[in-house]
Amino acid sequence: GNITFSFWINVGPKQLSGDKYIFSSGTSGGGEAIRIRFNSGEFSFVAFDNGSNSKEWIYNTLLATPIAGSWHHMYIVWNGNFANDPIVFLDNVAYGVSSRTGTGSGTNWNPSTTLAIGGHHTATSNQLGGALYSFGIWNVSSSANADALYNAGKPLNHGLPSAGNLLLFYQLGNESIEQGTIPSNAHDFATMNVLDFIEPFTLPNTR
């Protein structure tokens, strides 16, 4: 099914090595659906089909190193077809895939039963080294809202485009703040307890 992600991220030093998850979804038994992560500093999007196959799209121009230490907006669009590349926007600029590994079958990716923001949905060793803010998921595949959600570098704290297609939205910070600012208490996964970083919930079937 179609899916779009939008979030603000501030990458920390832990992101420069190892496998660190921005988002993970799958079954409670460990089966996976989608990963969004930095792996050894490179940004990648991974999707699993209903079998054991997975495909990873790597965007090695989106290294953690040059974007570390400040807030950036990411917007990811995928139509659920393994033959098509996800489109990744960083601060409203589209980036192409640098390499692909693995395979997936057709459009029947696993829609997942549980997911986590800031870590793996079952593990406790892959938590994000950094902070996230305003994390949203839509059941559409459209680049149309990338500009509006980036909002010239000012986070939208009130109102969201295409709210009718919104599956979930986590502010991950104090919502009663001035438009265009990120609060000091935005969710910092680098300093949280291992048991606290994971935020599991159910993702509706997006097929």
Side-chain angles (χ1 to χ4, degrees), residues 147-163:
D147 182 66
L149 285 165
Y150 177 57
N151 192 34
K154 298 177 180 180
L156 287 171
N157 304 320
H158 308 287
L160 292 164
S162 298

Side-chain angles (χ1 to χ4, degrees), residues 7-89:
F7 53 89
W8 288 85
I9 184 169
N10 190 337
V11 176
K14 290 183 181 180
Q15 214 59 60
L16 305 182
S17 64
D19 192 7
K20 308 298 183 182
Y21 285 62
I22 299 168
F23 172 86
S24 169
S25 63
T27 65
S28 58
E32 297 196 71
I34 285 179
R35 299 176 188 166
I36 302 173
R37 65 181 184 174
F38 281 102
N39 189 9
S40 298
E42 292 183 342
F43 181 82
S44 73
F45 182 95
V46 186
F48 293 75
D49 63 17
N50 282 339
S52 58
N53 298 316
S54 67
K55 187 170 183 177
E56 180 172 19
W57 293 267
I58 300 168
Y59 302 76
N60 65 14
T61 51
L62 292 178
L63 294 173
T65 307
I67 67 172
S70 59
W71 285 99
H72 296 271
H73 182 251
M74 298 198 77
Y75 186 90
I76 304 163
V77 179
W78 188 48
N79 67 359
N81 190 324
F82 285 87
N84 298 327
D85 296 336
I87 303 172
V88 177
F89 293 82

Side-chain angles (χ1 to χ4, degrees), residues 19-195:
D19 192 7
K20 308 298 183 182
Y21 285 62
I22 299 168
F23 172 86
S24 169
S25 63
T27 65
S28 58
E32 297 196 71
I34 285 179
R35 299 176 188 166
I36 302 173
R37 65 181 184 174
F38 281 102
N39 189 9
S40 298
E42 292 183 342
F43 181 82
S44 73
F45 182 95
V46 186
F48 293 75
D49 63 17
N50 282 339
S52 58
N53 298 316
S54 67
K55 187 170 183 177
E56 180 172 19
W57 293 267
I58 300 168
Y59 302 76
N60 65 14
T61 51
L62 292 178
L63 294 173
T65 307
I67 67 172
S70 59
W71 285 99
H72 296 271
H73 182 251
M74 298 198 77
Y75 186 90
I76 304 163
V77 179
W78 188 48
N79 67 359
N81 190 324
F82 285 87
N84 298 327
D85 296 336
I87 303 172
V88 177
F89 293 82
L90 176 69
D91 294 336
N92 206 30
V93 176
Y95 284 77
V97 174
S98 56
S99 62
R100 306 164 186 82
T101 60
T103 60
S105 60
T107 60
N108 197 29
W109 67 278
N110 186 343
S112 86
T113 55
T114 61
L115 54 84
I117 296 172
H120 191 276
H121 64 285
T122 60
T124 58
S125 59
N126 302 102
Q127 64 264 37
L128 179 70
L132 291 169
Y133 182 62
S134 293
F135 194 105
I137 303 178
W138 290 259
N139 63 348
V140 294
S141 175
S142 172
S143 302
N145 292 322
D147 182 66
L149 285 165
Y150 177 57
N151 192 34
K154 298 177 180 180
L156 287 171
N157 304 320
H158 308 287
L160 292 164
S162 298
N165 295 311
L166 186 67
L167 291 177
L168 60 92
F169 179 74
Y170 274 76
Q171 195 76 29
L172 298 173
N174 182 1
E175 296 183 33
S176 58
I177 58 176
E178 184 179 351
Q179 174 93 353
T181 61
I182 294 176
S184 59
N185 67 335
H187 224 50
D188 187 352
F189 295 94
T191 60
M192 293 184 71
N193 240 305
V194 166
L195 295 179

